Amino acid sequence: MKKIVGILLAGAMAFSAFAADLTGGVRLAGELFSYNGTSEEVKGLMLKNENQFYHVPLTLSISSDRAGGTFKMCDKDSDTMISGDWAIWFKPMDMLQVNLGKIAKSMNTESITYTNRVLNYDSFGASLDVNVDAFSATLSVVPGKATYWMSKAKGAEVVLGELNLYAQYAADFGTISAMFDFSENFKKISIAAGYKNTFGDITMFADAAVVLKENANKFYVDADVVYAKDALNAQAYVLFDAPFEGIAKDTIHVKTLAKVSYNLGSVTPYLQFSDDNILASSFACQIKPGVTGSVGIMNYEVAAQFDIAKKVNISVPVNFAVNF
């Protein structure tokens, strides 16, 4: 680990004309206790690595006014550091930026679990950013890692990779966004539009999307409301999806998330609720009271998790993180 950090620091010094920033972190998750309501099995003390790329375990960023790059490393589920999440960029002019490497764009995303939205992509490729005052747009060619965007075998049709256009306009009335995504040789077309704004203590967004694919056309709608005042924070999120044809109770999905937290200074107790489909024939949900806090530079989270279905599973998940 020290050798890796030394190499990265040496690289940063070699680019002394650039502004360099090295950040890192270590995350450890697990469960203190687990009870399976079906098998009545009891387990205790389990630890696991959670240092995925989205946790930003080790990041080196180097930039100037015209060019820069970000390089990330993590250990995933082993003790060996690996690389693979990187991106570089340059600006041929102030309003244009070319990005190469990891390309990711998303419609509005809830901040309870940071996983739910109506449309997104996340892959390796190239993109062109255009920024003019309050308007911005990104055109991306996303073939995937070590994959050609276009190929044609003898006697076969041309195979094309993913193409994406994301646009956003921010003004006093809020932020309007749109996304157009073409994949699977342009046989799958996804279109989305969204809106986000803050009204006093309330921040809200709403999105709608359609995914057009042979025999699998679907539409999605989501909405999110956050109330934040002083120490209180409350958020509710709903994600609705259904097919264009054959709409029935068993083909409609409504996912719900809700979380209330209250900051007491060094600790923040919270209560979280989630249900993957409130319209499902059999009831199932997760209720999770917990607390987050910090001790020095270490952040922690401890909760009591109740997964309720025909039987109840009980666990005590823990999460510890140090960032520097």
Side-chain angles (χ1 to χ4, degrees), residues 99-296:
N99 307 283
L100 304 170
K102 189 66 173 288
I103 308 294
K105 282 293 180 181
S106 171
M107 296 301 293
N108 292 305
T109 303
E110 50 85 15
S111 57
I112 296 176
T113 63
Y114 297 93
T115 58
N116 295 286
R117 79 281 288 174
V118 298
L119 193 62
N120 77 297
Y121 73 90
D122 184 1
S123 185
F124 276 76
S127 69
L128 177 65
D129 292 342
V130 179
N131 294 279
V132 181
D133 298 326
F135 174 79
S136 63
T138 301
L139 177 63
S140 303
V141 177
V142 193
K145 194 173 182 180
T147 304
Y148 290 100
W149 188 79
M150 185 277 292
S151 63
K152 184 182 186 305
K154 184 177 180 180
E157 66 176 354
V158 175
V159 178
L160 300 175
E162 188 172 4
L163 183 68
N164 184 282
L165 174 62
Y166 177 85
Q168 179 177 289
Y169 182 80
D172 293 338
F173 57 77
T175 300
I176 299 173
S177 55
M179 182 179 286
F180 305 87
D181 190 84
F182 307 90
S183 59
E184 298 182 14
N185 215 31
F186 283 58
K187 294 178 181 178
K188 180 181 179 181
I189 301 174
S190 304
I191 304 171
Y195 172 79
K196 184 176 183 178
N197 202 2
T198 298
F199 306 92
D201 301 323
I202 297 177
T203 299
M204 56 82 68
F205 71 72
D207 305 278
V210 294
V211 177
L212 307 175
K213 184 179 178 181
E214 186 177 3
N215 300 322
N217 299 329
K218 296 187 71 173
F219 66 94
Y220 302 80
V221 177
D222 73 351
D224 184 273
V225 178
V226 179
Y227 175 80
K229 185 175 178 61
D230 300 326
L232 177 66
N233 185 287
Q235 181 176 8
Y237 174 82
V238 177
L239 173 60
F240 172 93
D241 73 83
F244 276 14
E245 300 177 354
I247 295 181
K249 184 177 179 180
D250 59 348
T251 62
I252 298 175
H253 297 88
V254 180
K255 185 169 188 174
T256 56
L257 297 173
K259 185 176 182 179
V260 179
S261 63
Y262 195 86
N263 191 324
L264 297 175
S266 60
V267 297
T268 300
Y270 69 84
L271 177 62
Q272 182 175 314
F273 169 86
S274 63
D275 190 323
D276 284 340
N277 184 16
I278 61 174
L279 298 182
S281 56
S282 57
F283 176 77
C285 74
Q286 182 184 96
I287 298 175
K288 186 178 178 182
V291 61
T292 61
S294 62
V295 177

